[in-house]
Amino acid sequence: MLSPPSLLGALLLLAAPSLGSDVCQAPPIDHPGTAFSYVQPENTTILSTYGHSPAVYPSPKINGTGGWETAMHKAKQFVNKLTSEEKAWMATGVPGPCVGNVLPIPRLNFSGLCLQNGPQCIEEGSYSSVFVSGVSAAASWDRKLLYERANALAEEHKAKGSHVILGPIGGPLGRSPYNGRTWEGFAADPYLTGVCMEETILGMQDAGVQANAKHFIAYEQETQRNPTYAPDANATTYIQDSVSSNLDDRTMHEIYMWPFANAVRARVGSAMCSYNRVNGSHSCQNSYVLNHLLKTELGFQGYVMSDWGATHSGVASIESGMDMTMPGGFTVYGELWTEGSFFGKNLTEAINNGTVSTDRLDDMILRIMTPYFLLGQDKNYPSVDASVGPLNVDSPVDTWQYKWNFTGPTNRDVRGNHSIMIREHGSASTVLLKNEKNALPLRKPRNIIIAGNDAGPLTQGQDTLGDFEYGVLANSGSSGACRFSYLSNPLEAISARARKDGTLVQSYLNNTQIVETGLSSLAIPQQPDACLVFLKSYSAEGEDRSFLELDWNANAVVEAVAKFCNNTIVVTNSGGINTMPFADNENVTAILAQHYAGEETGNAITDVLYGDVNPSAKLPYVIAYNESDYNAPLTTDVKTNGTWDWQSWFDEELEVGYRYFDAHNIPVRYEFGYGLSYTTYGLKSLKAKTMAPKNITALPKKQPVQPGGNPALWETVYTLEAEVSNTGHVSGYAIPQLYVEFPSSTPAGTPPSQLRGFDKVWLRPGQKKTVSFDLMRRDVSYWDVVAQDWRIPTGKFSFKAGFSSRDFRSTLNTTLVAA
Ligand SMILES: *[C@@H]1O[C@H](CO)[C@@H](O)[C@H](O)[C@H]1NC(C)=O
Ligand SMILES: *[C@@H]1O[C@H](CO)[C@@H](O)[C@H](O)[C@H]1NC(C)=O
Ligand SMILES: *[C@@H]1O[C@H](CO)[C@@H](O)[C@H](O)[C@H]1NC(C)=O
Ligand SMILES: *[C@@H]1O[C@H](CO)[C@@H](O)[C@H](O)[C@H]1NC(C)=O
Ligand SMILES: *[C@@H]1O[C@H](CO)[C@@H](O)[C@H](O)[C@H]1NC(C)=O
Ligand SMILES: *[C@@H]1O[C@H](CO)[C@@H](O)[C@H](O)[C@H]1NC(C)=O
Ligand SMILES: *[C@@H]1O[C@H](CO)[C@@H](O)[C@H](O)[C@H]1NC(C)=O
Ligand SMILES: *[C@@H]1O[C@H](CO)[C@@H](O)[C@H](O)[C@H]1NC(C)=O
Ligand SMILES: *[C@@H]1O[C@H](CO)[C@@H](O)[C@H](O)[C@H]1NC(C)=O
Ligand SMILES: *[C@@H]1O[C@H](CO)[C@@H](O)[C@H](O)[C@H]1NC(C)=O
Ligand SMILES: *[C@@H]1O[C@H](CO)[C@@H](O)[C@H](O)[C@H]1NC(C)=O
Ligand SMILES: *[C@@H]1O[C@H](CO)[C@@H](O)[C@H](O)[C@H]1NC(C)=O
């Protein structure tokens, strides 16, 4: 399924604009820091048919399609009043109180734009809430939860004066389990991630704050995500470029771009181009990715901003479709930040000498300002809370060039009653992986042990969450780091609950001590009714993981506890995938994966352990038996020193996550979509709700592109329904799932099962409900690289409904298009 480059070239290699010599010259690799002189040509690396990114110019202009017309006209009037210097600086971030800042223009009553992290909270914000992380929210498989969480997070951002939230995250998707920041994003599946993106963006933007879909695209490793520079020469000597994600056209569409199509369809205000290169060319100056895929094929009407320091050129980035460089007034070289920007004054000069057209500059500002008017941010928007400034590590106060207008109170308390919701979300996103011998829920135990260094309070400081030894892990570090105004920890929450039952509680939080000493010489000589072991696994932006086991000698801790205790219940707080060898231990009766669950983590897990909440969450990835079972290794440890030697070949193509395990029939410990409940569910009678449409066309009718692409792709072509029932004794939420197996006529490499629908339904014991799955055209199509369109294949589709990617209860076979 390789895209024929000659064909793509013929279709898409439009004439490059005449920009002087900037865009297509070989790069002067010895001196990348000079404005406009370091430009990587679009097609430097032609190592295979898919390590190649064709040039696509010019950058499409915003036309307001899809409901943005009025906002665009307001933006036009605004842009008409700007000088070209003001325009140039609006496309360039300036140092200021927020993580990213667009300069205020008091003359026009414009107080600037405040761009803030992050996906789980206001980064390091005072008096603000810490919500459940992205991976936790995805594990809930709950559209309402996703929307509500995003809406509440955005309310807090707005009250602190943020105009743009730097999130949600549609990539990294989780090609590799070692990726350090998959917890910020959602699921190792494009469909589920797409739904999460859409609900999150709607939730944020309905609260009046712009969302930012990041990171575009194929950003699947932290290792060498940025170029390396020589340690001398003020960090301008270029040693090796950032890693290139090399992928074929079909994989691009069906896996990595898929969730971004949902994001654009949800009218996301901006997209962030990523650090990595894509098929040889930096994603922030990759005209195929930005001009063609994002702005033409998906009809994106917002603006593209760079990730912080991901800009490596001026003109080339602008012509390739990037609209805003961040943080702008500063340029990042590796870990070093220097003053000056490829944009800013350099951009004014390029406008003045005709290298960049005023037309293009106007389009950049129009794109930046349209979402602002679309969301009514010009009317009574809260000012930036002065307290965010000193907490902002990106630009220290002494670097601010503009006088920021701090009106209104500082250290505003924006939390409202969000903790109630966060507690509910924390239990709704806890995945019950194992539950034997009636271990859970707990029933008035007489004697319990709470063990593990993840059970207790943060006793080692909480300003900057790090990989600390003691304390529950409910969030992680770097740009996703939060400040807790309080943190409910498991020890405290369970102890409070246990007191009601008169339970004896013993706690041992020192992992080293547990392993070295053993519980038999620590605890009272009586078999506990239950031993709750809390374990964690830290991962954060900037570094990939080097192992998948839980941290702090966790496996040995479980073995030590289980040796003493025949009812050992393990809870993990982790950023993502962990191997769980202890699942085979006869005394480990229950396992729960809670991920990073935010400020109510302790209360939320207590609710599940005691059965006040019946768990319903499902794994958003695969837990394999062994680390070595996973495919798609990261590119690490490149020994050669060539400038472009960091190449990551996505040779697994569509076989990402469960798609790989299924294609090769590899047994797994816990599959994608799996999760237990305190009750049991049945599903039967999967059937067509209406007659299968035998006459739909294989290719979608060509229609003018709307945000999200050809609107025909989003039309429901087929609706299935099935009956789900609660076959146990406790009320709960069932999460029926629908997977599709494409006909054998589909090109080789198509995974055996792909998620295409899910629902979450409340059922009392004995109750039955009909659930339906609307299949959109895109859901039953594959990306045809020759037609450059989504095609519904001929032949028999198998639709499989059940409760995980390996637990199908009812199947329906049918054809959709005439042969
Ligand atoms: C880029 O590729 C196109 C088509 O393959 C070719 O015409 C052009 O000369 C190449 N440019 C460079 C700088 O190699
Ligand atoms: C600052 O805010 C005050 C009060 O809202 C307003 O009168 C003034 O114009 C603002 N100044 C700037 C530079 O935005
Ligand atoms: C680094 O920058 C400083 C100040 O701009 C300058 O004095 C010095 O010569 C530079 N060093 C090198 C190795 O370029
Ligand atoms: C708007 O622009 C998109 C490309 O970004 C194009 O496909 C679409 O046809 C245009 N719509 C109208 C109404 O001009
Ligand atoms: C132009 O860009 C270069 C490279 O980043 C930078 O060194 C220089 O300071 C910039 N000029 C201005 C005026 O910002
Ligand atoms: C125009 O200005 C830009 C930015 O300083 C510079 O890189 C470029 O070489 C200039 N081009 C011409 C034709 O003078
Ligand atoms: C944890 O236990 C080990 C071994 O007994 C001991 O060396 C260490 O000091 C303990 N840590 C704390 C924080 O008490
Ligand atoms: C399970 O627990 C019992 C004590 O209740 C103990 O005798 C046995 O060795 C434990 N098994 C393992 C594998 O630790
Ligand atoms: C643990 O062992 C005790 C006897 O020591 C037994 O009564 C109890 O049922 C066992 N629990 C489990 C979960 O096996
Ligand atoms: C790169 O590696 C080659 C071969 O090992 C060596 O000759 C060369 O000096 C190295 N270059 C740099 C800049 O380290
Ligand atoms: C398919 O058949 C239905 C019912 O006969 C008809 O309404 C519809 O227009 C047909 N669609 C196409 C694309 O021919
Ligand atoms: C549907 O097709 C699959 C795959 O060919 C087959 O295994 C299954 O038995 C069929 N199911 C029904 C209900 O026809």
Side-chain angles (χ1 to χ4, degrees):
M1 255 65 41
L2 307 179
S3 54
S6 53
L7 183 88
L8 276 179
L11 284 173
L12 302 169
L13 197 84
L14 312 177
S18 49
L19 297 170
S21 57
D22 289 321
V23 171
C24 288
Q25 288 295 298
I29 56 171
D30 55 332
H31 192 59
T34 307
F36 300 107
S37 69
Y38 168 66
V39 174
Q40 164 137 19
E42 293 298 335
N43 43 7
T44 300
T45 314
I46 307 182
L47 298 179
S48 103
T49 45
Y50 59 97
H52 166 61
S53 201
V56 184
Y57 300 108
S59 191
K61 287 187 188 172
I62 180 175
N63 59 19
T65 190
W68 296 47
E69 297 84 354
T70 312
M72 188 185 74
H73 286 116
K74 286 188 193 167
K76 238 175 210 160
Q77 286 165 7
F78 179 87
V79 174
N80 287 342
K81 296 181 193 146
L82 297 170
T83 66
S84 64
E85 202 188 352
E86 282 166 343
K87 290 177 197 168
W89 277 106
M90 283 191 67
T92 311
V94 295
C98 301
V99 168
N101 304 274
V102 171
L103 84 168
I105 306 175
R107 182 171 68 78
L108 299 176
N109 218 2
F110 175 63
S111 54
L113 296 179
C114 166
L115 283 55
Q116 287 287 52
N117 287 319
Q120 195 180 349
C121 60
I122 299 166
E123 184 184 0
E124 298 290 358
S126 63
Y127 302 96
S128 53
S129 304
V130 182
F131 293 84
V132 302
S133 61
V135 66
S136 293
S140 76
W141 296 56
D142 184 334
R143 292 177 173 83
K144 186 169 151 281
L145 182 157
L146 285 151
Y147 177 92
E148 186 177 273
R149 163 184 174 271
N151 195 253
L153 171 65
E155 263 177 22
E156 296 197 9
H157 267 281
K158 181 173 177 178
K160 289 267 188 194
S162 329
H163 297 87
V164 181
I165 299 175
L166 300 170
I169 287 143
L173 191 82
R175 170 182 182 259
S176 162
Y178 295 94
N179 187 294
R181 63 188 307 197
T182 46
W183 62 274
E184 295 183 50
F186 298 108
D189 173 78
Y191 183 91
L192 181 53
T193 296
V195 170
C196 294
M197 290 295 276
E198 200 161 334
E199 294 295 339
T200 301
I201 290 161
L202 293 172
M204 287 177 173
Q205 298 199 160
D206 284 354
V209 186
Q210 300 179 38
N212 170 252
K214 67 190 196 182
H215 305 84
F216 205 71
I217 194 170
Y219 166 52
E220 293 293 327
Q221 65 175 63
E222 295 300 279
T223 310
Q224 194 70 17
R225 65 178 186 166
N226 280 315
T228 38
Y229 297 88
D232 60 337
N234 292 334
T236 51
T237 307
Y238 202 58
I239 301 181
Q240 288 195 303
D241 208 339
S242 49
V243 66
S244 178
S245 299
N246 301 320
L247 69 168
D248 67 283
D249 192 34
R250 185 174 172 204
T251 302
M252 173 66 96
H253 282 82
E254 292 186 29
I255 304 286
Y256 298 99
M257 200 169 119
W258 179 292
F260 287 94
N262 292 68
V264 175
R265 181 160 180 268
R267 311 295 195 261
V268 70
S270 61
M272 184 186 286
C273 52
S274 54
Y275 286 124
N276 56 291
R277 290 180 290 150
V278 181
N279 286 331
S281 168
H282 284 285
S283 91
C284 290
Q285 62 183 62
N286 188 316
S287 63
Y288 178 77
V289 157
L290 302 181
N291 286 342
H292 178 65
L293 294 180
L294 185 59
K295 289 185 172 177
T296 305
E297 191 178 311
L298 298 184
F300 175 59
Q301 297 291 306
Y303 54 103
V304 177
M305 77 170 77
S306 72
D307 202 339
W308 271 229
T311 306
H312 297 290
S313 64
V315 174
S317 298
I318 288 170
E319 299 302 339
S320 298
M322 198 180 83
D323 303 298
M324 179 192 273
T325 186
M326 276 290 160
F330 280 71
T331 302
V332 189
Y333 294 112
E335 297 308 310
L336 288 171
W337 297 58
T338 55
E339 266 184 270
S341 168
F342 291 110
F343 283 32
K345 285 183 188 163
N346 285 326
L347 175 52
T348 308
E349 199 178 313
I351 293 286
N352 290 342
N353 74 16
T355 307
V356 170
S357 72
T358 310
D359 235 30
R360 174 73 187 104
L361 180 62
D362 284 353
D363 184 60
M364 291 158 72
I365 312 306
L366 210 49
R367 284 175 174 274
I368 292 168
M369 291 307 291
T370 299
Y372 174 84
F373 289 107
L374 185 77
L375 299 180
Q377 294 187 332
D378 55 322
K379 296 193 196 87
N380 300 322
Y381 206 78
S383 61
V384 174
D385 183 330
S387 71
V388 306
L391 301 176
N392 162 16
V393 291
D394 293 77
S395 46
V397 176
D398 60 12
T399 62
W400 301 358
Q401 297 145 7
Y402 292 86
K403 208 173 150 31
W404 296 84
N405 201 0
F406 294 117
T407 55
T410 186
N411 278 307
R412 290 168 211 161
D413 187 338
V414 298
R415 292 169 291 182
N417 61 357
H418 294 158
S419 62
I420 299 169
M421 171 195 296
I422 295 169
R423 180 172 181 163
E424 288 167 10
H425 293 183
S427 35
S429 59
T430 299
V431 191
L432 179 62
L433 296 171
K434 181 176 180 181
N435 189 18
E436 289 173 0
K437 301 182 193 164
N438 271 321
L440 291 176
L442 299 173
R443 298 166 194 86
K444 294 190 193 295
R446 184 145 184 266
N447 167 10
I448 63 171
I449 284 179
I450 297 173
N453 64 1
D454 177 55
L458 301 181
T459 50
Q460 293 170 295
Q462 56 158 315
D463 287 2
T464 305
L465 275 177
D467 194 2
F468 51 81
E469 182 171 359
Y470 287 94
V472 63
L473 198 52
N475 162 245
S476 171
S478 201
S479 68
C482 304
R483 177 182 303 273
F484 289 96
S485 52
Y486 74 96
L487 174 57
S488 158
N489 66 72
L491 176 63
E492 170 196 65
I494 295 167
S495 299
R497 181 68 173 74
R499 212 167 298 138
K500 293 184 187 167
D501 300 334
T503 307
L504 170 78
V505 179
Q506 304 170 83
S507 59
Y508 305 98
L509 308 189
N510 183 333
N511 283 11
T512 312
Q513 188 194 34
I514 293 168
V515 172
E516 283 180 359
T517 313
L519 289 188
S520 53
S521 56
L522 295 168
I524 61 165
Q526 182 192 27
Q527 177 68 235
D529 293 326
C531 294
L532 306 168
V533 190
F534 288 84
L535 308 169
K536 58 186 172 181
S537 175
Y538 179 84
S539 63
E541 179 182 356
E543 201 178 341
D544 290 311
R545 299 164 66 187
S546 50
F547 56 89
L548 301 181
E549 289 185 356
L550 288 141
D551 297 343
W552 304 105
N553 209 10
N555 293 343
V557 171
V558 181
E559 297 307 322
V561 174
K563 201 164 178 188
F564 178 70
C565 185
N566 67 358
N567 190 23
T568 297
I569 295 162
V570 175
V571 179
T572 64
N573 287 119
S574 164
I577 295 175
N578 297 112
T579 49
M580 298 184 170
F582 48 77
D584 294 325
N585 188 313
E586 53 170 344
N587 290 350
V588 173
T589 49
I591 304 175
L592 299 120
Q594 197 195 13
H595 300 108
Y596 299 156
E599 65 188 32
E600 283 286 329
T601 185
N603 287 326
I605 196 68
T606 305
D607 290 342
V608 173
L609 291 169
Y610 279 83
D612 297 336
V613 173
N614 184 357
S616 57
K618 307 287 169 196
L619 274 187
Y621 50 69
V622 173
I623 295 182
Y625 281 104
N626 307 296
E627 285 201 21
S628 56
D629 292 344
Y630 291 96
N631 68 336
L634 301 175
T635 295
T636 55
D637 212 20
V638 169
K639 300 277 192 226
T640 53
N641 62 15
T643 308
W644 291 298
D645 288 357
W646 283 81
Q647 305 286 341
S648 178
W649 296 95
F650 288 20
D651 288 330
E652 72 288 347
E653 300 185 347
L654 304 173
E655 289 181 4
V656 173
Y658 67 91
R659 290 164 168 75
Y660 164 74
F661 288 90
D662 292 347
H664 300 274
N665 281 314
I666 300 166
V668 302
R669 194 179 286 287
Y670 302 121
E671 71 270 17
F672 176 84
Y674 168 84
L676 299 170
S677 158
Y678 295 152
T679 187
T680 49
Y681 302 104
L683 183 150
K684 60 177 193 182
S685 315
L686 181 68
K687 59 179 196 291
K689 192 168 180 180
T690 51
M691 278 284 286
K694 294 278 187 272
N695 61 350
I696 55 176
T697 58
L699 293 177
K701 188 165 156 254
K702 293 270 180 236
Q703 292 176 35
V705 170
Q706 293 251 314
N710 183 347
L713 297 172
W714 303 92
E715 280 164 14
T716 299
V717 292
Y718 193 35
T719 301
L720 302 181
E721 60 181 26
E723 187 190 284
V724 284
S725 55
N726 185 337
T727 53
H729 305 287
V730 188
S731 296
Y733 283 108
I735 301 191
Q737 304 163 31
L738 182 77
Y739 294 80
V740 61
E741 184 175 336
F742 278 84
S744 54
S745 70
T746 318
T750 306
S753 301
Q754 306 198 68
L755 182 70
R756 287 295 185 262
F758 64 89
D759 203 349
K760 182 173 174 180
V761 281
W762 177 255
L763 293 168
R764 292 187 309 275
Q767 197 181 6
K768 292 176 183 157
K769 277 185 189 166
T770 300
V771 293
S772 58
F773 305 99
D774 284 336
L775 291 159
M776 295 184 287
R777 177 176 277 276
R778 185 181 62 155
D779 295 332
V780 289
S781 301
Y782 70 94
W783 178 254
D784 180 334
V785 297
V786 178
Q788 287 288 296
D789 209 342
W790 292 93
R791 179 188 294 278
I792 303 177
T794 57
K796 187 190 71 188
F797 279 85
S798 222
F799 294 103
K800 305 178 279 193
F803 294 111
S804 83
S805 60
R806 291 193 171 186
D807 177 14
F808 303 129
R809 306 289 179 88
S810 185
T811 301
L812 172 74
N813 295 332
T814 191
T815 60
L816 292 178
V817 294

